[in-house]
Amino acid sequence: MIKPTGIHHIAVMTGDMKSQLEFFSDVLGCRLVAIFDMHGVPGGFHAFLHLDDHCSFSLVQLPGTKD
């Protein structure tokens, strides 16, 4: 039987990537690791923030999410 031992990352959808990145970076002190276009999703963005050596927090913004 396989048992999970941790979480690589948790992804959360956002309608305003910029303000979320500012909050997690400036207020909570998370380091931005990467931000990139989502492969195969025109207008989609994906950002990773460092939580610890084994876990990241991810923000996803897709076209129309804000609406």
Side-chain angles (χ1 to χ4, degrees):
M1 174 196 259
I2 297 174
K3 293 185 178 183
T5 59
I7 296 173
H8 179 266
H9 75 276
I10 295 172
V12 174
M13 186 76 71
T14 181
D16 186 354
M17 179 77 75
K18 183 179 184 297
S19 68
Q20 293 298 312
L21 288 173
E22 288 172 352
F23 174 78
F24 283 99
S25 296
D26 299 343
V27 176
L28 298 182
C30 297
R31 179 176 49 87
L32 179 62
V33 175
I35 184 168
F36 52 90
D37 296 334
M38 288 188 71
H39 177 72
V41 183
F45 296 98
H46 200 167
F48 282 88
L49 296 134
H50 180 265
L51 295 180
D52 71 22
D53 291 340
H54 306 287
C55 185
S56 298
F57 182 77
S58 174
L59 294 167
V60 176
Q61 182 175 325
L62 301 176
T65 303
K66 199 168 194 173
D67 299 331

